[in-house]
């Protein structure tokens, strides 16, 4: 995976996290992709399940932005970002590192999210 393609995928993901169209994110994934978000949770497998997963997640995210540079190695990219959950007087912030593994067609086959309760603050 070259840097430009990985960066474009990450940007599409960031755009999708704050948009209303779940397909912006789901289009990144291969049909047989898997998500482990967060690490240690049940694995979400296949586009239908991934669509349902993000459908539920997007309703709560009010903002998303990279918090550092992306790192590309072989067919994977790791990237730190922050999301804003909720709005108004009591927004919450979560710091996350996601790792995408790409197949030869440039689709994500595995996404793993690194975060825990310690990464959430108000």
């Amino acid at each position: 995976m070259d840097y430009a393609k990985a960066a474009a995928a990450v940007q599409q993901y960031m755009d999708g996290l704050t948009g209303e169209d779940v397909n912006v994110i789901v289009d990144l994934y291969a049909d047989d992709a898997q998500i482990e978000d967060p690490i240690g949770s049940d694995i979400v497998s296949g586009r239908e399940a991934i669509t349902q997963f993000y459908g539920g997640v997007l309703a709560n995210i009010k903002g998303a932005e990279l918090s550092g540079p992306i790192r590309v190695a072989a067919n994977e990219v790791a990237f730190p970002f922050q999301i804003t959950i909720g709005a108004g007087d009591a927004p919450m912030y979560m710091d996350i590192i996601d790792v995408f593994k790409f197949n030869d067609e440039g689709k994500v086959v595995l996404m793993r999210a690194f975060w825990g309760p310690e990464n959430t603050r108000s």
Side-chain angles (χ1 to χ4, degrees):
M1 173 63 58
D2 72 27
Y3 187 90
K5 288 180 183 177
V10 170
Q11 187 59 56
Q12 182 175 334
Y13 188 68
M14 291 292 109
D15 293 345
L17 286 176
T18 56
E20 296 181 13
D21 185 0
V22 69
N23 292 317
V24 171
I25 292 177
V26 175
D27 286 344
L28 291 166
Y29 287 93
D31 290 340
D32 60 348
Q34 295 184 326
I35 293 175
E36 187 178 6
D37 185 355
I39 299 291
S41 64
D42 291 339
I43 293 178
V44 177
S45 296
R47 285 178 69 95
E48 184 176 329
I50 289 170
T51 300
Q52 291 176 351
F53 173 82
Y54 281 112
V57 168
L58 295 183
N60 298 315
I61 296 177
K62 303 304 178 200
E65 61 184 43
L66 288 174
S67 56
I70 69 170
R71 282 80 165 185
V72 179
N75 64 336
E76 299 191 47
V77 61
F79 53 99
F81 64 103
Q82 176 183 282
I83 59 170
T84 304
I85 304 165
D89 294 338
M92 299 280 297
Y93 303 95
M94 183 180 292
D95 296 307
I96 304 168
I97 297 173
D98 277 2
V99 177
F100 288 169
K101 181 176 183 179
F102 297 94
N103 65 15
D104 291 340
E105 289 76 42
K107 294 290 189 179
V108 176
V109 293
L110 178 63
M111 186 280 272
R112 300 180 79 212
F114 293 78
W115 63 270
E118 303 83 7
N119 305 113
T120 303
R121 65 192 183 292
S122 48

